[in-house]
Amino acid sequence: MTDYAEFHRRSLQDRDAFWAEQAKLIDWHKPFEQVCDYSRPPFAKWFVGGETNLCHNAVDRHLATRADQNALIYVSTETNQERIYSYRELHAEVQRMAATLQSLGVKKGDRVLVYMPMVPEAAFAMLACTRIGALHSVVFGGFASVSLATRIDDAEPTVIVSADAGSRGGKVVPYKPLLDEAIRLADHKPQKVLMVDRGLVAFDRVEGRDEDYASWRECHFKTEVPCEWVEATHPSYTLYTSGTTGKPKGVQRDTGGYAVALAASMEKIYLCKPGETFFSTSDIGWVVGHSYIIYAPLLGGCATIMYEGLPIRPDAAVWWSLVEKYKVTSMFSAPTAVRVLKKQDPAALKKHDLSSLRALFLAGEPLDEPTATWIAEALGKPIIDNYWQTETGWPILSLCNGVEAAKSKFGSPGKAVYGYDVKLLDEHSGEELKGAGQKGVVAIEGPLPPGCMQTVWRDDKRFVNTYWSSVPSRLVYSTFDWGIRDEDGYFFILGRTDDVINVAGHRLGTREIEESISSHPKVAEVAVVGVADNLKGQVAMAFAVLKDPSVIATEADALKLEGEVMKLVDEQLGAVARPARVRFVATLPKTRSGKLLRRAIQAVCEARDPGDLTTIEDPTALQQIRDLITPAA
Ligand code: ATP
Ligand code: MG
């Protein structure tokens, strides 16, 4: 496995043998007859004829060897709680939840919507669903009623599992009123709502519909619920994309392929061995939470940390204190969280013993070089950027097999991961760009490897039309990201295809300009968008957040700094990339998963309607930009 190129080649050319070998990492109730059925492209079926169960592989399978080992470590700096569940205890809790769901009428193939904060019961609910062959649809806790209502109508859940409240920065966020309103708005009505009462806030109960989990748990304290063996292709869950580029898409995931892909990724990408501790700082509402808080670490026989709280509360060292305390070996976070830490004192990271940590993995957004360098120096550990999507469920680009880790190139999420036939295509002709340094659309030749989306939930047509029809005369999966590959096979993501800026005929990724601006020592983060311009077609506009906003006291200070930033871009990329304006703001508009909403900024700059904003974190961030560019008359 030292020669990664050969390993990757084999995963594609010897596809079935390669994946049959990986499939040994999980238990099969009935062996599969065919590794991959791609007779009806672009729909791929993995491990056809096989029967397995995700919850069995994540939980029950480990009881013989590691029943007393930590499975789920729950830490909340919001409620000051730490609860540890061994595999044996997790097994018991999941069965209590599974029995409850069954009592409330949930059957194989039914959907259960999970609208929960980061509490262990959310994990139990997810695992309980896959245990009984029901599909979970986790909706990020705290989403507004309207977005929740749309998801209720899409999933048509038999039961909704929820809680009284979440908590953020010490402030209680009541969920129940949002949920009640969402159910009122939705056409579909769930039979039951199962409430986990954390005791954070009082809530109203709807007679005959709302059930109390604590009493059901008592009632099923000793109930055993066997795993329901399902076809490898049986859907395990649906989950929405972040909604950065528009209306979120409902991704449908299978069972067998997902289990195999995640199990393999633990040893080949995330370098975490059975018995070790994995810490992903994501939320269960996102794909990273599904794959790398819940399923992959448990499939791998690891302990997983589920953290409720902010990265800087009680102080900026809180994550690193957990690394020390639980001897975390692999940690997974997002560039946006590192940028939050970057505004703090790097000494906080040095307070703790991080010797157990092998690497920090980051994904979700471009990892700019200054941020990568900052965290690498602060931690003294390898930083591994990986690139993927809700749709794929696990990395498309990364460094694999450990040996490659030493060879990371800052600014690049590495090479094509085994199983992925990644191509760069000319967006107009669909022609493959083979030369180093050519920019194109990042695409994946079918079949998508195990673990990737099966289809759009209840909408095969949308799956084909959205993902497989963008390149003329060719059936290929488009990521809608824009990238470049160097002579060593390392990819660089330059931004979304929607965000490419065309200045007087020059094509520029927003990422390139953002990278350059963020190398200015005073800049913490920045968003660049292309704005329509009569003369040049488009011009770049930049909105930057400063590490220390107090450096700008007057208009003149802002203009001076703007000039400095422009000069920097001129030097690094040339005058063609220079933004028309660089404005300074307190925060940038992001989705709740921490992604920059460039399309919304762009729409505001062009005085258009910003479109679907149901996933926005803080609407005032967009308002601030609106106020800046349309000064009061
Ligand atoms: P939507 O599809 O609803 O518009 P989204 O694309 O943000 O939302 P996600 O699936 O959460 O939904 O995000 C995947 C996208 O995030 C990728 O297509 C890419 O644009 C970006 N991304 C993820 N990881 C990286 C990375 N390491 N480097 C650069 N970009 C990344
Ligand atoms: Mg997307």
Side-chain angles (χ1 to χ4, degrees), residues 468-580:
W468 299 86
S469 311
S470 65
V471 176
S473 69
R474 209 164 152 197
L475 196 66
V476 65
Y477 174 89
S478 174
T479 62
F480 298 103
D481 288 310
W482 176 252
I484 188 168
R485 183 176 38 208
D486 72 8
E487 58 288 347
D488 301 323
Y490 284 69
F491 284 82
F492 293 77
I493 301 294
L494 302 176
R496 315 224 179 206
T497 49
D498 288 3
D499 293 336
V500 170
I501 302 176
N502 196 335
V503 187
H506 297 268
R507 314 272 285 141
L508 294 160
T510 45
R511 159 86 191 267
E512 297 169 86
I513 309 173
E514 287 169 3
E515 179 98 32
S516 167
I517 295 177
S518 68
S519 70
H520 190 286
K522 293 196 175 114
V523 172
E525 61 180 333
V526 59
V528 169
V529 297
V531 176
D533 182 85
N534 287 339
L535 219 59
K536 298 182 178 170
Q538 264 185 323
V539 291
M541 286 282 234
F543 296 90
V545 176
L546 296 174
K547 285 182 191 154
D548 175 9
S550 72
V551 298
I552 298 186
T554 63
E555 188 73 17
D557 293 340
L559 282 170
K560 183 162 169 279
L561 191 54
E562 178 173 11
E564 276 179 37
V565 170
M566 287 184 175
K567 192 157 161 267
L568 190 70
V569 177
D570 281 2
E571 283 163 12
Q572 294 183 354
L573 298 176
V576 64
R578 183 201 305 160

Side-chain angles (χ1 to χ4, degrees), residues 241-245 249 364 366 385-386 388-390 481 496 595:
T241 58
S242 296
T244 313
T245 56
K249 299 161 282 263
D385 181 7
N386 42 109
W388 45 296
Q389 307 181 302
T390 307
D481 288 310
R496 315 224 179 206
K595 288 159 189 284

Side-chain angles (χ1 to χ4, degrees), residues 395-463:
I396 304 167
L397 302 175
S398 184
L399 292 172
C400 298
N401 292 344
V403 291
E404 297 277 326
K407 300 183 197 157
S408 82
K409 292 192 187 185
F410 280 166
S412 163
K415 304 178 184 182
V417 166
Y418 55 88
Y420 287 94
D421 192 359
V422 184
K423 305 243 150 106
L424 284 177
L425 305 179
D426 179 278
E427 66 183 324
H428 301 299
S429 66
E431 212 177 296
E432 188 177 351
L433 305 170
K434 293 195 169 155
Q438 288 178 286
K439 294 179 192 174
V441 179
V442 180
I444 306 167
E445 200 73 60
L448 294 176
C452 293
M453 77 190 294
Q454 289 181 293
T455 184
V456 171
W457 170 247
R458 283 192 174 151
D459 201 346
D460 284 354
K461 231 198 209 138
R462 189 169 179 208
F463 176 61

Side-chain angles (χ1 to χ4, degrees), residues 258-315:
Y258 188 52
V260 171
L262 293 187
S265 76
M266 284 303 277
E267 52 172 57
K268 293 179 179 55
I269 300 174
Y270 293 104
L271 316 173
C272 196
K273 303 191 184 76
E276 297 181 341
T277 305
F278 195 87
F279 178 19
S280 165
T281 68
S282 183
D283 187 284
I284 48 150
W286 315 125
V287 68
V288 178
H290 280 60
S291 293
Y292 294 101
I293 295 175
I294 310 292
Y295 290 112
L298 296 175
L299 286 164
C302 306
T304 182
I305 298 182
M306 186 176 191
Y307 175 76
E308 180 186 42
L310 302 177
I312 48 168
R313 195 173 165 273
D315 58 47

Side-chain angles (χ1 to χ4, degrees), residues 205-449:
R205 289 179 170 79
V206 175
E207 197 52 42
R209 185 196 75 186
D210 296 356
E211 302 280 339
D212 176 38
Y213 182 56
S215 15
W216 276 108
R217 181 174 174 272
E218 272 315 302
C219 167
H220 283 304
F221 205 77
K222 295 220 149 104
T223 311
E224 286 180 14
V225 180
C227 290
E228 172 90 28
W229 300 112
V230 297
E231 294 257 341
T233 53
H234 181 73
S236 58
Y237 67 76
T238 66
L239 176 66
Y240 290 86
T241 58
S242 296
T244 313
T245 56
K247 193 166 169 268
K249 299 161 282 263
V251 165
Q252 176 182 319
R253 193 93 58 210
D254 74 352
T255 297
Y258 188 52
V260 171
L262 293 187
S265 76
M266 284 303 277
E267 52 172 57
K268 293 179 179 55
I269 300 174
Y270 293 104
L271 316 173
C272 196
K273 303 191 184 76
E276 297 181 341
T277 305
F278 195 87
F279 178 19
S280 165
T281 68
S282 183
D283 187 284
I284 48 150
W286 315 125
V287 68
V288 178
H290 280 60
S291 293
Y292 294 101
I293 295 175
I294 310 292
Y295 290 112
L298 296 175
L299 286 164
C302 306
T304 182
I305 298 182
M306 186 176 191
Y307 175 76
E308 180 186 42
L310 302 177
I312 48 168
R313 195 173 165 273
D315 58 47
V318 58
W319 283 353
W320 318 106
S321 75
L322 296 177
V323 171
E324 173 176 303
K325 181 167 180 186
Y326 293 109
K327 301 202 168 41
V328 171
T329 49
S330 298
M331 185 163 162
F332 192 159
S333 193
T336 180
V338 176
R339 285 185 206 113
V340 170
L341 294 177
K342 206 164 103 183
K343 293 181 201 151
Q344 311 283 320
D345 178 9
L349 278 75
K350 303 246 188 272
K351 277 192 353 208
H352 293 279
D353 174 7
L354 306 180
S355 56
S356 59
L357 194 66
R358 281 193 197 107
L360 172 66
F361 298 86
L362 296 171
E365 275 232 298
L367 175 62
D368 57 286
E369 198 172 325
T371 301
T373 314
W374 180 85
I375 187 74
E377 279 169 11
L379 284 181
K381 302 282 176 181
I383 306 301
I384 304 181
D385 181 7
N386 42 109
Y387 161 84
W388 45 296
Q389 307 181 302
T390 307
E391 290 87 343
T392 65
W394 64 289
I396 304 167
L397 302 175
S398 184
L399 292 172
C400 298
N401 292 344
V403 291
E404 297 277 326
K407 300 183 197 157
S408 82
K409 292 192 187 185
F410 280 166
S412 163
K415 304 178 184 182
V417 166
Y418 55 88
Y420 287 94
D421 192 359
V422 184
K423 305 243 150 106
L424 284 177
L425 305 179
D426 179 278
E427 66 183 324
H428 301 299
S429 66
E431 212 177 296
E432 188 177 351
L433 305 170
K434 293 195 169 155
Q438 288 178 286
K439 294 179 192 174
V441 179
V442 180
I444 306 167
E445 200 73 60
L448 294 176

Side-chain angles (χ1 to χ4, degrees), residues 34-194:
Q34 191 183 1
V35 176
C36 180
D37 173 1
Y38 199 50
S39 58
R40 200 168 65 94
F43 300 93
K45 289 185 184 168
W46 286 94
F47 307 113
V48 184
E51 284 181 12
T52 185
N53 179 288
L54 207 48
C55 180
H56 165 85
N57 278 290
V59 183
D60 303 43
R61 181 165 65 104
H62 303 302
L63 294 177
T65 47
R66 51 185 83 254
D68 295 312
Q69 177 198 303
N70 291 349
L72 184 69
I73 300 169
Y74 173 64
V75 179
S76 172
T77 51
E78 295 291 337
T79 57
N80 289 319
Q81 279 188 62
E82 276 192 43
R83 272 145 73 188
I84 299 185
Y85 299 86
S86 66
Y87 271 96
R88 190 197 312 285
E89 287 160 340
L90 179 62
H91 182 238
E93 292 294 353
V94 170
Q95 293 190 92
R96 288 166 196 148
M97 181 64 85
T100 302
L101 293 178
Q102 285 181 329
S103 293
L104 299 182
V106 177
K107 292 182 202 60
K108 180 181 172 188
D110 286 359
R111 275 81 51 212
V112 173
L113 190 139
V114 178
Y115 181 67
M116 293 276 268
M118 288 284 284
V119 290
E121 289 79 4
F124 305 157
M126 291 166 74
L127 290 161
C129 286
T130 48
R131 185 171 195 87
I132 60 177
L135 283 67
H136 52 74
S137 172
V138 180
V139 177
F140 180 72
F143 253 170
S145 302
V146 179
S147 5
L148 181 54
T150 329
R151 286 156 174 77
I152 292 173
D153 278 334
D154 199 32
E156 301 187 322
T158 314
V159 168
I160 296 180
V161 186
S162 191
D164 54 340
S167 178
R168 204 177 143 80
K171 262 185 43 206
V172 169
V173 185
Y175 282 7
K176 189 65 182 355
L178 297 174
L179 176 60
D180 286 340
E181 172 65 5
I183 296 175
R184 199 186 61 78
L185 291 172
D187 293 326
H188 173 86
K189 307 293 174 201
Q191 288 170 24
K192 294 284 181 189
V193 171
L194 182 62

